[in-house]
Every structure is written in structure tokens, then in C-alpha cells.
Coordinates of all heavy atoms in Angstrom, one line a residue:
G3 N -46.0 68.8 7.3 CA -45.9 69.6 6.1 C -46.9 69.1 5.1 O -47.7 68.2 5.3
K4 N -47.0 69.8 4.0 CA -47.9 69.4 2.9 C -47.5 68.0 2.4 O -46.3 67.7 2.3 CB -47.8 70.4 1.7 CG -48.5 71.7 2.0 CD -50.0 71.5 1.9 CE -50.7 72.8 2.0 NZ -52.1 72.7 2.0
I5 N -48.5 67.3 2.1 CA -48.3 65.9 1.6 C -48.7 65.8 0.2 O -49.8 66.2 -0.2 CB -49.2 64.9 2.5 CG1 -48.8 65.0 3.9 CG2 -49.0 63.5 1.9 CD1 -49.7 64.2 4.9
Q6 N -47.7 65.3 -0.6 CA -48.0 65.1 -2.1 C -48.9 63.9 -2.2 O -48.6 62.9 -1.7 CB -46.7 65.0 -2.8 CG -45.8 66.2 -2.8 CD -46.4 67.4 -3.5 OE1 -47.1 67.2 -4.5 NE2 -46.2 68.6 -3.0
A7 N -49.9 64.0 -3.0 CA -50.8 62.9 -3.3 C -51.1 62.8 -4.8 O -51.0 63.8 -5.5 CB -52.1 63.2 -2.6
S8 N -51.3 61.6 -5.2 CA -51.6 61.3 -6.6 C -52.9 60.4 -6.5 O -53.3 59.9 -5.5 CB -50.5 60.5 -7.3 OG -50.3 59.3 -6.7
F9 N -53.7 60.4 -7.7 CA -54.9 59.6 -7.7 C -55.2 59.0 -9.0 O -54.7 59.5 -10.0 CB -56.0 60.5 -7.2 CG -56.3 61.7 -8.1 CD1 -57.4 61.6 -9.0 CD2 -55.7 62.9 -8.0 CE1 -57.7 62.7 -9.9 CE2 -56.0 64.0 -8.8 CZ -57.0 63.9 -9.7
N10 N -56.0 58.0 -9.0 CA -56.5 57.3 -10.2 C -58.0 57.1 -10.1 O -58.5 56.9 -9.0 CB -55.9 56.0 -10.4 CG -54.4 56.1 -10.7 OD1 -53.9 57.0 -11.3 ND2 -53.6 55.1 -10.2
Y11 N -58.7 57.1 -11.2 CA -60.2 56.9 -11.2 C -60.4 55.6 -11.9 O -59.9 55.3 -13.0 CB -60.9 58.0 -11.9 CG -62.4 57.8 -12.0 CD1 -63.2 57.9 -11.0 CD2 -62.9 57.3 -13.2 CE1 -64.6 57.7 -11.1 CE2 -64.3 57.1 -13.4 CZ -65.1 57.3 -12.3 OH -66.5 57.0 -12.4
S12 N -61.3 54.7 -11.3 CA -61.7 53.5 -12.0 C -63.0 53.0 -11.4 O -63.1 52.8 -10.2 CB -60.6 52.4 -11.7 OG -61.0 51.2 -12.3
D13 N -64.0 52.7 -12.3 CA -65.3 52.1 -11.9 C -66.0 52.8 -10.7 O -66.4 52.1 -9.8 CB -65.1 50.6 -11.6 CG -64.6 49.8 -12.8 OD1 -64.9 50.2 -13.9 OD2 -63.8 48.9 -12.5
G14 N -66.1 54.1 -10.8 CA -66.8 54.8 -9.7 C -66.1 55.0 -8.4 O -66.6 55.4 -7.4
K15 N -64.8 54.7 -8.5 CA -63.9 54.8 -7.3 C -62.7 55.6 -7.6 O -62.2 55.6 -8.7 CB -63.5 53.5 -6.7 CG -64.6 52.6 -6.2 CD -64.0 51.3 -5.7 CE -65.2 50.4 -5.3 NZ -64.7 49.1 -4.8
I16 N -62.3 56.5 -6.7 CA -61.0 57.2 -6.8 C -60.0 56.7 -5.8 O -60.4 56.5 -4.6 CB -61.2 58.7 -6.6 CG1 -62.2 59.3 -7.7 CG2 -59.9 59.4 -6.6 CD1 -62.5 60.7 -7.6
F17 N -58.9 56.3 -6.3 CA -57.8 55.8 -5.4 C -56.8 56.9 -5.2 O -56.2 57.4 -6.2 CB -57.1 54.6 -6.1 CG -58.1 53.4 -6.3 CD1 -58.7 53.3 -7.6 CD2 -58.4 52.5 -5.4 CE1 -59.6 52.3 -7.8 CE2 -59.3 51.5 -5.6 CZ -59.9 51.4 -6.8
V18 N -56.6 57.3 -3.9 CA -55.6 58.4 -3.6 C -54.4 57.7 -2.9 O -54.6 56.9 -2.0 CB -56.3 59.4 -2.6 CG1 -55.3 60.5 -2.3 CG2 -57.6 59.9 -3.2
F19 N -53.2 58.1 -3.4 CA -52.0 57.5 -2.9 C -51.2 58.7 -2.3 O -51.0 59.7 -2.9 CB -51.2 56.9 -4.0 CG -52.0 55.8 -4.8 CD1 -52.6 56.1 -6.0 CD2 -52.1 54.5 -4.2 CE1 -53.3 55.1 -6.6 CE2 -52.8 53.5 -4.9 CZ -53.4 53.8 -6.1
Y20 N -50.6 58.4 -1.1 CA -49.8 59.5 -0.4 C -48.8 58.8 0.5 O -49.0 57.6 0.9 CB -50.7 60.4 0.3 CG -51.3 59.8 1.6 CD1 -50.6 59.9 2.8 CD2 -52.5 59.2 1.5 CE1 -51.2 59.4 4.0 CE2 -53.1 58.6 2.7 CZ -52.4 58.8 3.9 OH -53.0 58.2 5.0
E21 N -47.8 59.6 0.9 CA -46.9 59.1 1.9 C -46.2 60.4 2.5 O -46.2 61.4 1.9 CB -45.8 58.2 1.4 CG -44.9 58.7 0.3 CD -43.9 57.6 -0.1 OE1 -43.0 57.2 0.7 OE2 -44.0 57.2 -1.3
F22 N -45.8 60.3 3.8 CA -45.2 61.4 4.5 C -44.2 60.8 5.5 O -44.3 59.7 5.9 CB -46.2 62.3 5.1 CG -47.0 61.7 6.3 CD1 -46.6 61.8 7.6 CD2 -48.1 60.9 6.0 CE1 -47.3 61.2 8.6 CE2 -48.8 60.3 7.0 CZ -48.4 60.5 8.3
Q23 N -43.2 61.7 5.8 CA -42.2 61.4 6.8 C -42.7 61.6 8.2 O -43.3 62.7 8.5 CB -40.9 62.2 6.5 CG -40.3 62.1 5.2 CD -39.8 60.6 4.9 OE1 -39.2 60.1 5.8 NE2 -40.1 60.1 3.8
G24 N -42.4 60.8 9.1 CA -42.8 60.9 10.5 C -42.3 59.7 11.3 O -41.7 58.8 10.8
D25 N -42.7 59.7 12.6 CA -42.4 58.6 13.5 C -43.3 57.4 13.2 O -44.6 57.6 13.4 CB -42.5 59.1 14.9 CG -41.8 58.1 15.9 OD1 -41.5 57.0 15.5 OD2 -41.6 58.6 17.0
K26 N -42.8 56.3 12.9 CA -43.7 55.1 12.6 C -44.5 54.6 13.7 O -45.6 54.1 13.5 CB -42.8 53.9 12.1 CG -42.1 54.1 10.8 CD -41.3 52.9 10.5 CE -40.6 53.1 9.1 NZ -39.9 51.9 8.7
I27 N -44.1 54.9 15.0 CA -44.8 54.3 16.1 C -45.9 55.3 16.6 O -46.7 54.9 17.5 CB -43.9 54.0 17.3 CG1 -43.1 55.2 17.8 CG2 -43.0 52.8 16.8 CD1 -42.4 54.9 19.1
K28 N -45.9 56.5 16.1 CA -46.9 57.5 16.5 C -48.2 57.5 15.7 O -48.2 57.1 14.5 CB -46.4 58.9 16.5 CG -45.2 59.1 17.5 CD -44.8 60.5 17.6 CE -43.7 60.6 18.7 NZ -43.3 62.0 18.9
D29 N -49.3 57.8 16.3 CA -50.6 57.9 15.6 C -50.8 59.3 14.9 O -50.3 60.3 15.5 CB -51.8 57.7 16.5 CG -51.9 56.2 16.9 OD1 -51.5 55.3 16.1 OD2 -52.4 55.9 18.1
Y30 N -51.4 59.3 13.8 CA -51.7 60.5 13.0 C -53.2 60.5 12.6 O -53.8 59.5 12.5 CB -50.8 60.5 11.8 CG -49.4 60.7 12.1 CD1 -48.6 59.6 12.3 CD2 -48.8 62.0 12.1 CE1 -47.2 59.8 12.6 CE2 -47.5 62.1 12.4 CZ -46.7 61.0 12.6 OH -45.3 61.2 12.9
E31 N -53.7 61.7 12.6 CA -55.1 61.9 12.1 C -54.9 62.4 10.6 O -54.4 63.5 10.4 CB -55.8 63.0 12.9 CG -57.1 63.4 12.4 CD -58.2 62.3 12.6 OE1 -58.1 61.5 13.5 OE2 -59.1 62.3 11.8
V32 N -55.3 61.6 9.7 CA -55.2 61.9 8.3 C -56.6 62.3 7.7 O -57.6 61.6 7.9 CB -54.7 60.7 7.5 CG1 -54.7 61.0 6.0 CG2 -53.2 60.4 7.9
E33 N -56.7 63.5 7.0 CA -57.8 64.0 6.4 C -57.6 64.2 4.9 O -56.5 64.6 4.5 CB -58.3 65.3 7.0 CG -58.8 65.1 8.4 CD -59.2 66.5 9.0 OE1 -59.1 67.5 8.3 OE2 -59.8 66.5 10.1
V34 N -58.6 63.9 4.1 CA -58.5 64.1 2.7 C -59.6 65.0 2.2 O -60.8 64.9 2.6 CB -58.7 62.7 1.9 CG1 -58.6 62.9 0.4 CG2 -57.6 61.7 2.4
K35 N -59.2 66.0 1.4 CA -60.2 67.0 0.8 C -59.9 67.1 -0.7 O -58.7 67.1 -1.1 CB -60.1 68.3 1.5 CG -60.4 68.3 3.0 CD -60.2 69.7 3.6 CE -60.4 69.7 5.1 NZ -60.1 70.9 5.7

């Protein structure tokens, strides 16, 4: 499903924070736009 994300800007860098529900032992392909 859609993943809620938050972000902060500091010194030319953007920090994006997110979490989602799923199986901990499985691999996921995560993309950020």
C-alpha cells in the first residue's frame, strides 16, 4: 500500500523517514520519488 513518509532538510541533504507493514524476512524493492 501507500507508504507515509516524512522528511527534513539540513546542510544540502534531505532525510526521508518511512515505515511499512510486511514480512520482516522478505526482501523488498524500495523506490523514492
Side-chain angles (χ1 to χ4, degrees):
K4 284 285 185 183
I5 298 173
Q6 295 295 323
S8 61
F9 63 96
N10 295 325
Y11 174 79
S12 176
D13 298 325
K15 295 180 183 178
I16 295 179
F17 300 93
V18 181
F19 304 97
Y20 72 92
E21 61 182 294
F22 65 94
Q23 301 296 317
D25 193 346
K26 290 180 181 183
I27 61 171
K28 292 189 178 182
D29 285 332
Y30 293 86
E31 174 73 30
V32 174
E33 293 181 352
V34 176
K35 297 176 185 173

